[in-house]
Amino acid sequence: MLGTAPDLRLSRARLQDLLWSERGKQQGSDSLRQMLRELRCQMGDERDILLTGVGWVGLDPDRLRIDLTPVYDAGGTPLEFAADIDIPDPEFESWLRDMRLRLLPECDGPRRRPGAPALLRPSAEPPASGYVVALDPVESNDSRAHVIGEMVVNEAAARACEMIPAMLADRVETAQQLGTQVVALCYSAGIDCSLMVVMRDLPSGRRGWTRRFTIRAADETATMRHAVAQITVALLDRARRTASAKWLTFPIWDVFSYSRERLEAADRVLAELPPERQSAVGLALRSYLRNTLILERLTEDPGRCSDEAEDFARRARELAPNNPVVLAVASLSASRRRDAVGALELAQAACRNDPDNELACHALSQALTEVGRDQEALEAAERGARGALAVLGPACWLMRRAQVLVRLGRLGDAENSAAAAFAFAPDNRPSLRFLAALRYHRGDRAGAADALRHLRRVEPDFTLELMAHPDYPVKTLRMAGLMEITRSGL
């Protein structure tokens, strides 16, 4: 599981869900700790390959290489991924089915001989109508299960279509239509519901993703939100895998990064979209990433960058004045301009239009912080962290949570959240600033020095003198009196 994860890391909570989903939280945590001890014993001299941190487990990318190239038997048939692993947990079984489908060779024709070059599928130009997400009617065995299945699948598809961007359809106009077909079955299982979702590539009919979710009656809202987020992420991932020189998705993964190169690359992709595919959300994303460039000192001309961010936000609101993503970005821009009242009004409007929109919740948390309503800000941050965008770019949401926790005086929890943000995004500068300051505050000089070492690597002009400057982006740390690190000499 770690070897197939992004950046070779998974959160501890995700591992517990995959391996011990039917156990309690504490029992699952104990089982994970025991498993890690056993793994280290089995790995002998190579035990240092296994890395652990606050909230995560991973592998050292400098000490091993992961090769997921299909392996073939003597007859040229691909061997099944993880064929000898048998873990009787429904969440693990769903994950394993998903991975086996992902790792199937692309070619459905004659199997290649071991060592022979892979056969390439000829790429057809996408239809002029663009990408489509086609929803089949949900199959079910009673009305309640049918309603739940329709609610989950339709909400996930609508959220994904906005971010791909794509057209949501009930039927496909042409057999060569570029896109994904979503088939769902939702059946009552006692008081709970079991939702099975299958995604297929429209032109070829090839199955690309399968997952089963349990919608628990005792926690219906939370389990439905989880299913919506996972299906949304899967649809975005399927679209990204389909992207070509003729058809481009929104570069969501890069928009929520902290790297200048990735942010500028995302902006180029969004700028190159043809006029008929320009949208309010695309313009809002271009405004959002410019705010990141300004706040993280990644632009040589912050004045021009700020003007462009405001222009994109204004144009986005003209196109879609009630869109929650557009309103959320406008709120974040207002926060950057220190317009606390305007930011709060925009964020509240975004959440009224879509209470579970993760970017709207993020903006509301920021705006509530600006007016001193910190407990409400934490609640908004927690709600937003359950959405699809927070799954794609967790560092952004983890750092929002860390900022609120510092304001609430929960420094240990804030440090843990910052450490998790750094684990998911090693180029995340805010997390390293927080880790350096918080570790030094509690007396961990070695840990603070390590955070500063990483920070100097991703922010070459960083100095402690620069950090002490009033314009350096550490407002939360400054207000909390956590700037002793700037006088440490580390």
Side-chain angles (χ1 to χ4, degrees), residues 470-488:
D471 292 335
Y472 191 78
V474 284
K475 177 182 176 182
T476 300
L477 298 175
R478 192 176 294 113
M479 291 180 63
L482 295 170
M483 298 296 288
E484 308 105 305
I485 184 71
T486 61
R487 300 183 296 274
S488 66

Side-chain angles (χ1 to χ4, degrees), residues 69-297:
T69 305
V71 178
Y72 295 81
D73 64 18
T77 301
L79 300 179
E80 192 172 55
F81 171 72
D84 298 327
I85 294 181
D86 182 20
I87 297 176
D89 187 285
E91 290 295 322
F92 176 82
E93 291 170 356
S94 294
W95 172 85
L96 187 57
R97 282 195 300 271
D98 186 18
M99 286 305 306
R100 285 172 174 168
L101 286 169
R102 285 190 188 186
L103 297 175
L104 280 175
E106 287 293 319
C107 177
D108 284 337
R111 302 300 183 187
R112 63 185 173 97
R113 300 183 308 278
L119 296 173
L120 297 178
R121 204 159 30 99
S123 58
E125 289 193 8
S129 55
Y131 196 88
V132 166
V133 173
L135 299 183
D136 282 11
V138 174
E139 295 186 22
S140 58
N141 61 347
D142 65 30
S143 58
R144 175 176 173 270
H146 183 264
V147 168
I148 287 176
E150 289 282 359
M151 288 175 65
V152 170
V153 173
N154 276 276
E155 183 175 350
R159 290 182 183 277
C161 284
E162 187 173 57
M163 289 294 173
I164 289 174
M167 180 176 67
L168 187 58
D170 294 323
R171 65 178 186 274
V172 182
E173 300 295 338
T174 170
Q176 294 303 310
Q177 179 69 59
L178 188 65
T180 297
Q181 178 188 29
V182 181
V183 180
L185 302 89
C186 191
Y187 283 78
S188 292
I191 62 172
D192 299 332
C193 289
S194 183
L195 172 65
M196 175 69 76
V197 179
V198 179
M199 296 181 190
R200 298 181 185 277
D201 178 61
L202 276 175
S204 67
R206 184 185 299 113
R207 183 181 296 191
W209 188 83
T210 303
R211 182 77 186 273
R212 183 181 68 82
F213 302 93
T214 299
I215 309 299
R216 298 185 178 90
D219 198 9
E220 193 169 87
T221 300
T223 50
M224 286 177 70
R225 282 177 178 166
H226 171 74
V228 168
Q230 295 299 314
I231 296 167
T232 303
V233 171
L235 283 168
L236 291 170
D237 188 53
R238 297 306 306 166
R240 180 175 64 161
R241 290 167 183 268
T242 314
S244 68
K246 296 289 185 181
W247 184 84
L248 298 171
T249 65
F250 284 173
I252 298 297
W253 279 259
D254 291 335
V255 168
F256 293 100
S257 72
Y258 287 81
S259 158
R260 177 176 180 174
E261 291 75 16
R262 291 178 65 187
L263 290 165
E264 291 180 345
D267 188 56
R268 286 193 296 272
V269 171
L270 292 168
E272 290 168 3
L273 291 173
E276 64 273 13
R277 293 190 55 222
Q278 296 286 348
S279 70
V281 171
L283 292 169
L285 294 177
R286 295 189 73 186
S287 176
Y288 177 90
L289 65 83
R290 277 166 171 75
N291 285 328
T292 303
L293 288 168
I294 295 165
L295 290 170
E296 293 310 308
R297 303 171 55 252

